[in-house]
Amino acid sequence: MAFTQFDRPILATMHGALIAFGMMMVWLAYRGRLTVAAVLAAHILPLFVAFACLFDNVPDGMHRATHLHFLAVALGSYFIFRRDGIYLKYGVSSLCLVAFVVFSNVSVAFHDPALVIPAWAAEVGIWTNTLTALAGLVFIALIMNADLSARRMMDIEMRKAIAKADFQLHYQPQINEAGEVVGAEALIRWQHARMGIIPPDKFIPFAEETGLIVPIGNWVLRAACAQLAQWEARPETRHLTMAVNVSASQFRQPDFVQTVSEIVRISGVTPSKLKMELTESMFVENVGTTVAKMDALKEIGIIWSLDDFGTGYSSLSVLNSFPLGQIKIDKSFVCGMLSDASNMVVTEAIIDLASKLNLQVVAEGVETDEQFHRLRETGCRIYQGYLFSPPLDVDAFGELLALKRTGSEPLSRHLSKLPTPDFV
Ligand code: C2E
Ligand code: CA
Ligand code: CA
């Protein structure tokens, strides 16, 4: 408003655009698109600051302060993107620091009085910019400190949980065409004394970063094998297979093959009933070592499954370069296959290719009858998803098997009779 009154339409437009941009960020954050908002902010804010510096023509004897905002953006973007790739983590913050140095030492700015900030506003601006940039830096430092404390707490809590084995496995049934349960995927939950049941998405990424996933993963494998051994001991559950998720850092351990072989041997389970799920990201580096490890465990009978297929960036050659026995079509394809023709084409192509390569296909995230029928028509033979059952604790899973044995209705119809799972 003030800039319009003082005949500075460009400056007024710039401030209007900044307000609109801020509102867009709030809207994106409200819609849960935090990553998009962060990436946009990290690219657009430095441009705004650079532009503002050009219009910031301070009176003689004073120094401009607009460029101080580069420091806040640099620190903020480094913090937000600290777990991302090199460009986002270092690129954006380095550019901001370079811009800070340039605008500190070179007096690049417009000098046309019709463009630049009026003298009275420039003086106010110096103080406002210094204080707001400083407030930004303090705010980010406080958030960084709070994050550090939270991570330290999480680390302590997780180490305690590992020592006390405060974890639980839930089992999501895998169903064949006839609606019979042929196996289960073991999915971990953390039973926290205060916070209740914590889902894997909330702690597995942290465990991966800190390396704590290795003892957790070994616990999962031991618990899953113990359960599989119990199933094998009873005629009515002898046929069941067990799928276990393996994280990248767990797989990278030099003694991974030895540890897994040992756990499987001690449990006494038939290794071919165990399916170990890897994701595409693990196939990008150290191909030779990866294949050697997979071969060694395949040798004793363990089946390798490729999880979340289609979501990574690896090429289709992964399917015949690695000793896989199964692929799992990611739930995003299953979810979108009926509404999006290209999703359907991709799903059909994956199933076709897998059958030609002799790979078993499991469709994940099957939620509706239509998806189930379409997948069956397309040639997929094993299904997993809320249509049949969410992951269940061992008792509820046992009940489901019992219901399935006695009942003749489709599995999904029995769900209302089962206890509610912890979260879905
Ligand atoms: P995932 O391996 O892709 O597991 C499937 C996830 O999809 C599970 O979430 C399951 O509850 C959910 N799901 C199953 N059916 C449906 C459906 O019909 N619709 C939708 N929208 N979702 C469905 P959960 O249990 O929260 O696990 C999330 C992820 O955490 C897993 O994804 C896996 O990557 C990881 N995870 C779980 N347990 C372990 C573990 O023991 N070790 C490791 N390394 N990762 C684990
Ligand atoms: Ca999985
Ligand atoms: Ca999956």
Side-chain angles (χ1 to χ4, degrees):
M1 277 293 272
F3 288 127
T4 324
Q5 271 176 9
F6 285 94
D7 201 19
R8 300 286 196 282
I10 297 180
L11 279 170
T13 311
M14 215 171 80
H15 280 78
L18 188 58
I19 292 167
F21 179 71
M23 282 159 64
M24 192 171 100
M25 293 297 101
V26 173
W27 181 76
L28 281 172
Y30 175 73
R31 299 289 307 265
R33 312 281 307 271
L34 287 174
T35 311
V36 179
V39 172
L40 273 176
H43 289 86
I44 307 269
L45 280 179
L47 289 179
F48 268 121
V49 179
F51 259 116
C53 285
L54 294 178
F55 290 92
D56 190 6
N57 198 2
V58 291
D60 283 346
M62 300 192 89
H63 296 284
R64 82 168 141 218
T66 313
H67 65 298
L68 293 176
H69 289 291
F70 280 122
L71 294 179
V73 181
L75 188 63
S77 61
Y78 173 75
F79 174 65
I80 290 170
F81 301 119
R82 66 198 180 283
R83 290 188 201 103
D84 289 290
I86 291 179
Y87 170 67
L88 283 176
K89 186 174 172 188
Y90 298 114
V92 177
S93 44
S94 307
L95 273 176
C96 287
L97 291 179
V98 169
F100 171 77
V101 173
V102 170
F103 281 102
S104 305
N105 297 304
V106 183
S107 62
V108 275
F110 296 125
H111 293 287
D112 183 345
L115 283 178
V116 297
I117 295 174
W120 64 267
E123 256 177 79
V124 177
I126 289 166
W127 287 100
T128 319
N129 281 323
T130 309
L131 290 174
T132 50
L134 202 67
L137 281 169
V138 171
F139 180 67
I140 294 164
L142 288 177
I143 291 181
M144 285 171 94
N145 193 39
D147 180 73
L148 202 68
S149 307
R151 291 173 68 77
R152 216 175 281 142
M153 273 309 293
M154 179 85 159
D155 193 78
I156 294 169
E157 297 267 314
M158 207 176 275
R159 280 174 202 277
K160 274 199 246 164
I162 293 169
K164 294 195 289 171
D166 278 346
F167 298 103
Q168 201 187 40
L169 285 186
H170 280 198
Y171 303 95
Q172 185 172 34
Q174 295 181 331
I175 311 297
N176 69 7
E177 276 180 291
E180 295 154 347
V181 180
V182 291
E185 176 174 3
L187 294 155
I188 195 172
R189 276 88 182 91
W190 177 359
Q191 278 179 298
H192 195 281
R194 261 181 307 109
M195 290 189 273
I197 293 182
I198 305 177
D201 289 348
K202 294 271 184 307
F203 68 92
I204 292 281
F206 180 83
E208 277 176 3
E209 270 174 50
T210 53
L212 291 175
I213 192 68
V214 177
I216 293 177
N218 290 341
W219 178 87
V220 169
L221 191 60
R222 252 184 257 116
C225 285
Q227 185 57 55
L228 188 57
Q230 286 192 28
W231 288 341
E232 274 202 65
R234 295 172 52 192
E236 64 274 22
T237 46
R238 184 162 293 157
H239 63 286
L240 296 177
T241 59
M242 178 75 83
V244 174
N245 292 284
V246 177
S247 89
S249 27
Q250 200 186 340
F251 185 82
R252 271 198 296 268
Q253 293 302 303
D255 61 351
F256 176 74
V257 171
Q258 203 186 336
T259 309
V260 173
S261 319
E262 203 59 13
I263 293 174
V264 173
R265 191 184 59 76
I266 291 170
S267 71
V269 298
T270 310
S272 60
K273 299 249 179 73
L274 187 64
K275 294 181 176 164
M276 301 195 79
E277 299 190 2
L278 299 175
T279 50
E280 282 173 67
S281 61
M282 301 183 200
F283 296 141
V284 186
E285 51 189 48
N286 300 326
V287 175
T289 320
T290 305
V291 172
K293 284 184 177 181
M294 290 174 76
D295 273 339
L297 288 174
K298 191 186 168 189
E299 195 89 334
I300 62 167
I302 291 173
I303 293 169
W304 289 106
S305 175
L306 179 50
D307 204 359
D308 305 337
F309 185 69
T311 55
Y313 297 101
S314 58
S315 71
L316 285 179
S317 66
V318 157
L319 295 182
N320 57 4
S321 315
F322 295 87
L324 292 165
Q326 182 187 76
I327 57 169
K328 296 184 83 175
I329 304 177
D330 188 61
K331 48 182 174 282
S332 56
F333 286 110
V334 175
C335 172
M337 62 186 250
L338 294 175
S339 52
D340 179 343
S342 62
N343 256 354
M344 187 69 229
V345 173
V346 173
T347 310
E348 282 171 350
I350 294 173
I351 294 171
D352 187 46
L353 189 68
S355 90
K356 286 184 177 133
L357 291 170
N358 250 338
L359 295 169
Q360 191 181 55
V361 186
V362 178
E364 285 192 294
V366 182
E367 292 184 354
T368 65
D369 274 322
E370 294 74 36
Q371 289 167 349
F372 169 53
H373 293 306
R374 201 60 199 264
L375 284 160
R376 194 161 55 173
E377 279 164 24
T378 315
C380 179
R381 302 281 170 254
I382 302 182
Y383 321 88
Q384 195 181 328
Y386 296 160
L387 174 67
F388 309 104
S389 169
L392 300 166
D393 65 31
V394 70
D395 294 336
F397 188 80
E399 275 181 50
L400 179 128
L401 290 174
L403 282 169
K404 189 70 201 100
R405 274 196 301 278
T406 52
S408 53
E409 301 164 71
L411 185 57
S412 50
R413 306 283 178 267
H414 289 301
L415 289 178
S416 56
K417 300 173 199 158
L418 288 167
T420 318
D422 49 7
F423 61 87
V424 287

